[in-house]
Amino acid sequence: MNRASTLGSKWVKTKILLLNKELRKFVPETKIYNQTNLQQMLNKHKMVYVKPINGSFGQGVIRVEKNDKKYRFQAGKIARSFGSFLGLYTSLNKAKLNRSYLVQQGIDLLTYQKNIFDTRIMVQKNPRKTWEATGYIGRVAHPKKIVTNFHNSGKPLPLELLLNSYLKNPLKKEYIKNLQHLGHQIAKHYQKTYPRFKEIGVDIGIDKQLKPWVLEVNTAPDPFIFNQLKDKKMFFKVLRYAKANGRFLRVKRK
C-alpha cells in the first residue's frame, strides 16, 4: 500500500485517471515530451501544452501551435514563430525548464471578456471521513498569459459569473453540480491507489461544446484561492476542513 498523502508527478496522476474507464474520457491525450511525440501531437491536435512533469503554479508551461506549416510557441508573455518544426523544437528546448516534460492535448477553452478560464473544484474529507466537494471557483488568465493560475497573474472569479454567457439557470446550477460530481469521483478513484489522500483540487477546462476536461489533479491544493471570493462562506468551509485534515497552513496567502 502506498502511504503517500501528496503526489507531484503529473505523469503518474494522469496514468491513475486513465485506469478508470469512466474518467478516461475526460482526460486530454498526454504523452512524454520528446521530438516524435510533440510532432505527432501537433499534427493531430494543432495546439498542445508542454508542461513540466513536476511543477506548480503554471511555471514552465508553454503553449505550442501549428497553423498550416507555421509553428508558434508562447512561454509567459513571450511568443515566437517558426517556419519549420525543427526550428520550433530547437528553440523550445532552450525555452523550457531543465527538467522532464509532458505534451498534452490543447483544449479550446471558454473565455470571459476574451480571456480563457478554467475552474478549480475542491474535494475534501469531511468530519465523517467521507469525500465532499466543498468549493469551486473560476480562474481567468491574464490577457497576455496562457495559464490561469492565481500565482501566475490569473484572476479568481465566481464560476457562476464566468458561465453566464453560456448557461442560464437552472442549467447552470446543474452543470456546476456535475463538475463537483466529477471531482468527487476522481477523489474516490485516487484513494484506491493513495488511501492517505484527504483533499484534492481538480483543475477542469471547459471546451466550446461545454465538455469538461481534467487538466490536472492537485494533491496539495491551496485553500486560500477561495478567499478571493466576496462571499466567504465557501472559503471558511474549505479552510475548516483543511485544518481538520492536518494541513500545515503556516503562511496565509493573499
Side-chain angles (χ1 to χ4, degrees):
M1 179 183 292
N2 193 313
R3 298 187 61 79
S5 57
T6 61
L7 179 62
S9 170
K10 294 180 178 67
W11 183 234
V12 173
K13 289 187 284 189
T14 298
K15 289 195 290 185
I16 291 173
L17 287 176
L18 294 174
L19 292 174
N20 185 302
K21 65 179 182 180
E22 292 300 317
L23 298 176
R24 195 181 304 153
K25 60 190 174 187
F26 300 109
V27 181
E29 184 176 7
T30 307
K31 295 184 176 183
I32 295 292
Y33 172 86
N34 58 40
Q35 184 173 348
T36 300
N37 285 345
L38 177 63
Q39 191 166 25
Q40 288 177 348
M41 292 278 279
L42 275 175
N43 288 338
K44 182 176 180 180
H45 300 294
K46 307 306 177 188
M47 190 265 282
V48 300
Y49 281 85
V50 173
K51 300 179 173 183
I53 289 179
N54 289 284
S56 55
F57 306 144
Q59 294 173 349
V61 176
I62 303 170
R63 184 169 65 198
V64 188
E65 299 170 72
K66 178 185 179 184
N67 186 5
D68 293 326
K69 294 184 179 180
K70 294 186 177 179
Y71 299 85
R72 179 182 186 272
F73 77 71
Q74 182 175 345
K77 295 181 180 179
I78 300 171
R80 298 193 62 188
S81 298
F82 305 87
S84 70
F85 173 77
L86 189 58
L88 165 89
Y89 183 69
T90 302
S91 185
L92 190 56
N93 283 336
K94 295 176 183 175
K96 72 181 187 67
L97 302 176
N98 186 26
R99 60 181 72 167
S100 297
Y101 266 67
L102 296 174
V103 53
Q104 185 182 74
Q105 170 189 350
I107 305 302
D108 190 15
L109 297 175
L110 297 185
T111 60
Y112 175 74
Q113 296 180 349
K114 298 184 179 181
N115 299 317
I116 59 170
F117 71 86
D118 62 15
T119 182
R120 162 67 60 86
I121 304 293
M122 192 79 156
V123 191
Q124 299 170 286
K125 284 288 185 72
N126 61 26
R128 299 183 301 280
K129 308 301 181 186
T130 59
W131 287 108
E132 182 180 339
T134 51
Y136 58 87
I137 191 169
R139 307 183 305 175
V140 183
H142 182 279
K144 296 182 180 179
K145 292 195 174 183
I146 59 167
V147 294
T148 61
N149 303 68
F150 177 44
H151 301 272
N152 215 310
S153 305
K155 185 175 183 180
L157 287 171
L159 184 56
E160 290 89 348
L161 172 66
L162 304 185
L163 290 175
N164 272 345
S165 299
Y166 304 98
L167 289 165
K168 302 302 179 188
N169 280 331
L171 290 176
K172 183 168 60 177
K173 279 189 175 181
E174 187 64 25
Y175 188 83
I176 292 174
K177 275 188 180 179
N178 289 337
L179 294 181
Q180 291 180 289
H181 178 71
L182 177 57
H184 187 267
Q185 292 303 106
I186 290 170
K188 287 172 65 178
H189 173 65
Y190 260 64
Q191 188 152 40
K192 294 175 184 176
T193 307
Y194 292 90
R196 290 187 66 187
F197 282 4
K198 293 182 178 179
E199 44 189 27
I200 63 169
V202 184
D203 294 340
I204 296 176
I206 304 168
D207 70 18
K208 296 295 195 294
Q209 288 72 47
L210 299 184
K211 177 180 176 178
W213 294 87
V214 179
L215 305 178
E216 189 174 343
V217 177
N218 298 274
T219 58
D222 179 6
F224 288 99
I225 186 176
F226 295 96
N227 197 24
Q228 302 302 308
L229 297 174
K230 286 184 180 179
D231 185 344
K232 303 298 180 185
K233 187 166 61 175
M234 201 180 290
F235 168 63
F236 291 142
K237 184 174 189 177
V238 167
L239 187 61
R240 188 171 74 250
Y241 281 23
K243 288 180 176 178
N245 286 328
R247 286 291 300 277
F248 186 56
L249 303 170
R250 183 177 58 184
V251 179
K252 184 170 182 178
R253 301 178 182 134
K254 293 182 180 179

